[in-house]
Amino acid sequence: MKRTAFYVSDSTGITAHTLGQSLLAQFEGVQIEHVIVPYVDTAEKIRDLVTRINAAYERDGHQPLVFDTIVNDDFRGSLAQSHGFMVDILGAFLKPLEKVLNTHSSYSVGRAHSAATDSNYKNRMDAVNYAMDNDDGARITHYDRAEIILVGVSRSGKTPTCLYMALQFGVYTANYPITEDDISDLRIPKALQPFKQKLFGLTIDPERLAAIRHERRPDSKYASFKQCEFEVREVEAIFRRYGIPYLDTTHFSVEEITTRILSQLGVERRQ
Amino acid sequence: MKRTAFYVSDSTGITAHTLGQSLLAQFEGVQIEHVIVPYVDTAEKIRDLVTRINAAYERDGHQPLVFDTIVNDDFRGSLAQSHGFMVDILGAFLKPLEKVLNTHSSYSVGRAHSAATDSNYKNRMDAVNYAMDNDDGARITHYDRAEIILVGVSRSGKTPTCLYMALQFGVYTANYPITEDDISDLRIPKALQPFKQKLFGLTIDPERLAAIRHERRPDSKYASFKQCEFEVREVEAIFRRYGIPYLDTTHFSVEEITTRILSQLGVERRQ
């Protein structure tokens, strides 16, 4: 049995999609086709959408699921006339929140529209620029500005983690690859020594590291299990020697790696 | 009046935080202190959290708001004993969904834990690597792999948009800066010509562009209003001449820019 899930919004649809996916992840056996419909902000777009929902109902033989965050009451009324099963995200919680906060909600559309000029947003973009400029040890003279400096062997997950921290949470994160030269010294590179408190290590299962490196440079020494195993073992020894906190990224997504690092270091998310 | 909002999860807390922020954005006058508490997965952590919630109640003189996506029923029961106002995200919608889907939800903790090995996740990370390798016109020989190639003047928002598309949605996006040389030719660079169908232009208000560039290189010709105004005008002429769709990014966040581009080009989000 196949179902269609619509994620509908008068803005980007990101909230509807995130919540809808979390809910549907609890139903493992159900096969879902996901359809995101952002910027539904005119009566005409609502009519089109109702047509699409009803068509999905005919095609699937099952009621489509409609996760919506549309604010306009008229539009929601029209949407409710479709054959979809409505999951009314704002409606379910706004009324109780109005009561406990003892105030009316603004029900304003598209708070996110002002995002581009607010200070949190600017900070996120500045953090992205910082992450790009300070990726892979490219510059070593701006670490005083970093909140976190990720260290680890090549392809242990440093770059995507830095980018995620910057884009989502506005955290200034640099990263520095520990190379074979550093390993032979058994010490952290000189450029990093004044910033020991900001260091966080990433490590990874050597077998997985070899697979990842193999995609990058097939059949190289760099990608060999022996080399990966050596680098990982030695880098972990450096982490322990210097008391650098570290995390094995093998089974974690960037969302999880980021959450654990920020938690452990007590760095705030600025969203 | 100040309130404390807790975003509580046995996983990263991203769903609770995203939804909670969307809801609270509807209450503009209310001052909120946001506290994210991920990985609440033991009875001890629940007890600590209840203590923190009750302390916030005493401090604020108002009931704290607790947005939770904890799956374990016992834990949720303990949490409900606190003085917080519970916004039970999963509970509100799972029961109705079980009914319409005619099946039980797995109520399994941490679907995200398997993220790091699923194919969508791998695709997202590959897209991040692609975006990094093909940022700012760094390589011009891999555009056959791109789904979208963003073009525009320096600092028009290309890089953060590419990274967001890759990290969040696994979309392969390259970007290419239109320089003064290209402008004097009034044509798109040779390397891009075979990929005209993939091009999407970003433009920006010259005044804002000048401000952004000024932070980068203060008092340079590059950052002068005159230069910015010239580049923007000429690049928009190129977009129009070649029929390249384009978007003014001045008032949009990367989330909105991304949503609009993917919508317009009909590219699917793979989350």
Side-chain angles (χ1 to χ4, degrees):
Chain A
M1 107 172 177
K2 208 200 69 179
R3 293 269 185 176
T4 306
F6 290 88
Y7 307 95
V8 179
S9 171
D10 43 34
S11 177
T12 62
I14 290 168
T15 300
H17 193 208
T18 303
L19 180 72
Q21 290 213 312
S22 296
L23 289 166
L24 292 177
Q26 307 295 325
F27 298 90
E28 299 204 15
V30 184
Q31 198 199 330
I32 308 268
E33 187 183 330
H34 305 273
V35 180
I36 303 160
V37 194
Y39 300 119
V40 181
D41 48 12
T42 65
E44 196 191 336
K45 288 182 184 172
I46 288 281
R47 275 195 301 274
D48 286 351
L49 178 60
V50 168
T51 306
R52 287 177 71 182
I53 293 169
N54 292 344
Y57 180 48
E58 298 244 328
R59 194 183 57 229
D60 299 347
H62 291 291
Q63 216 177 356
L65 309 172
V66 182
F67 300 87
D68 95 273
T69 57
I70 287 181
V71 172
N72 182 306
D73 269 336
D74 291 341
F75 292 170
R76 276 156 78 185
S78 305
L79 204 55
Q81 304 295 312
S82 76
H83 294 308
F85 177 82
M86 307 298 298
V87 182
D88 177 3
I89 296 170
L90 295 181
F93 296 126
L94 277 182
K95 289 268 177 275
L97 280 173
E98 286 185 342
K99 217 166 155 188
V100 70
L101 292 172
N102 195 26
T103 179
H104 287 287
S105 65
S106 64
Y107 257 65
S108 64
V109 188
R111 245 359 247 319
H113 285 264
S114 61
T117 47
D118 84 11
S119 68
N120 267 345
Y121 182 76
K122 186 176 178 312
N123 180 63
R124 283 170 56 207
M125 292 306 108
D126 289 346
V128 169
N129 288 330
Y130 183 83
M132 292 295 288
D133 291 342
N134 294 278
D135 183 47
D136 207 29
R139 291 201 294 189
I140 56 170
T141 51
H142 292 75
Y143 290 152
D144 49 332
R145 182 68 187 85
E147 295 172 88
I148 300 168
I149 304 169
L150 295 183
V151 290
V153 302
S154 167
R155 296 286 136 186
S156 53
K158 301 183 299 300
T159 295
T161 303
C162 281
L163 294 174
Y164 187 84
M165 285 185 174
L167 254 177
Q168 293 295 320
F169 301 131
V171 175
Y172 277 63
T173 313
N175 76 80
Y176 191 99
I178 306 280
T179 64
E180 233 179 313
D181 290 346
D182 304 315
I183 288 173
S184 64
D185 284 355
L186 245 182
R187 58 203 311 170
I188 53 173
K190 222 177 197 141
L192 299 177
Q193 284 172 12
F195 305 102
K196 225 201 103 210
Q197 295 310 316
K198 298 179 179 185
L199 300 183
F200 196 100
L202 298 186
T203 188
I204 183 169
D205 173 63
E207 214 159 310
R208 190 166 155 81
L209 180 61
I212 292 170
R213 287 184 172 186
H214 187 77
E215 281 186 33
R216 213 65 191 171
R217 291 196 222 149
D219 303 317
S220 59
K221 181 190 167 204
Y222 169 79
S224 70
F225 176 76
K226 198 179 150 196
Q227 177 69 17
C228 292
E229 202 274 333
F230 166 73
E231 289 185 26
V232 167
R233 190 183 57 226
E234 296 300 315
V235 163
E236 288 182 3
I238 293 177
F239 293 159
R240 282 190 296 266
R241 182 173 171 202
Y242 282 87
I244 297 168
Y246 66 98
L247 180 69
D248 182 342
T249 65
T250 311
H251 300 292
F252 292 137
S253 65
V254 286
E255 286 84 352
E256 293 170 298
I257 298 167
T258 296
T259 302
R260 286 170 192 274
I261 294 173
L262 298 185
S263 259
Q264 190 165 339
L265 298 181
V267 173
E268 195 197 353
R269 311 186 200 187
R270 289 176 293 269
Q271 209 163 13
Chain B
M1 110 171 175
K2 208 201 68 179
R3 293 269 184 177
T4 307
F6 290 88
Y7 307 95
V8 180
S9 172
D10 43 32
S11 177
T12 61
I14 290 168
T15 300
H17 193 208
T18 303
L19 180 73
Q21 290 213 312
S22 296
L23 289 167
L24 292 178
Q26 307 296 324
F27 297 91
E28 300 205 15
V30 184
Q31 197 199 330
I32 308 269
E33 187 183 328
H34 305 273
V35 181
I36 303 160
V37 194
Y39 301 118
V40 180
D41 48 12
T42 65
E44 197 191 336
K45 289 183 185 171
I46 288 281
R47 274 194 302 273
D48 286 350
L49 178 59
V50 168
T51 307
R52 287 177 71 183
I53 293 169
N54 292 345
Y57 180 49
E58 299 243 330
R59 194 182 56 229
D60 300 345
H62 291 289
Q63 216 178 356
L65 310 172
V66 182
F67 300 87
D68 95 273
T69 57
I70 288 182
V71 173
N72 182 304
D73 269 336
D74 291 342
F75 291 171
R76 275 156 77 186
S78 305
L79 203 55
Q81 304 295 313
S82 77
H83 293 308
F85 176 81
M86 308 298 297
V87 181
D88 178 1
I89 296 171
L90 295 180
F93 295 126
L94 276 181
K95 289 269 175 276
L97 280 173
E98 288 186 341
K99 217 166 156 187
V100 69
L101 292 172
N102 196 24
T103 177
H104 287 288
S105 65
S106 63
Y107 257 64
S108 64
V109 187
R111 247 354 249 325
H113 285 264
S114 60
T117 47
D118 83 12
S119 68
N120 268 346
Y121 182 76
K122 186 176 178 312
N123 180 64
R124 283 171 54 206
M125 292 305 108
D126 289 346
V128 169
N129 289 329
Y130 182 84
M132 292 295 287
D133 291 342
N134 295 277
D135 183 47
D136 207 30
R139 289 201 295 190
I140 56 170
T141 51
H142 292 75
Y143 290 152
D144 49 332
R145 182 68 186 84
E147 295 171 89
I148 299 168
I149 305 169
L150 295 183
V151 290
V153 302
S154 167
R155 297 286 137 185
S156 53
K158 301 182 299 299
T159 296
T161 304
C162 281
L163 294 174
Y164 187 84
M165 285 185 174
L167 254 178
Q168 293 296 320
F169 301 130
V171 174
Y172 277 63
T173 311
N175 76 81
Y176 192 99
I178 306 279
T179 64
E180 231 180 314
D181 289 346
D182 303 315
I183 287 173
S184 65
D185 284 356
L186 247 182
R187 56 205 311 170
I188 54 173
K190 222 177 197 139
L192 299 177
Q193 285 173 11
F195 305 102
K196 224 200 103 208
Q197 295 309 317
K198 299 178 178 185
L199 300 183
F200 196 101
L202 298 186
T203 188
I204 183 170
D205 173 63
E207 214 159 312
R208 191 166 154 80
L209 180 62
I212 293 169
R213 287 185 173 185
H214 186 77
E215 281 187 32
R216 212 69 189 169
R217 291 196 224 150
D219 303 318
S220 59
K221 180 189 168 204
Y222 169 78
S224 70
F225 176 76
K226 196 179 151 195
Q227 177 69 18
C228 292
E229 201 275 333
F230 166 73
E231 289 185 27
V232 167
R233 190 182 57 224
E234 296 300 315
V235 162
E236 289 183 4
I238 294 177
F239 292 159
R240 281 191 296 266
R241 182 175 171 200
Y242 282 87
I244 297 168
Y246 68 97
L247 181 69
D248 182 342
T249 66
T250 311
H251 299 291
F252 292 136
S253 65
V254 286
E255 287 83 353
E256 294 171 297
I257 298 167
T258 295
T259 302
R260 286 171 192 273
I261 294 173
L262 298 186
S263 258
Q264 189 164 340
L265 298 181
V267 173
E268 196 197 352
R269 310 186 199 188
R270 289 176 292 270
Q271 209 165 12

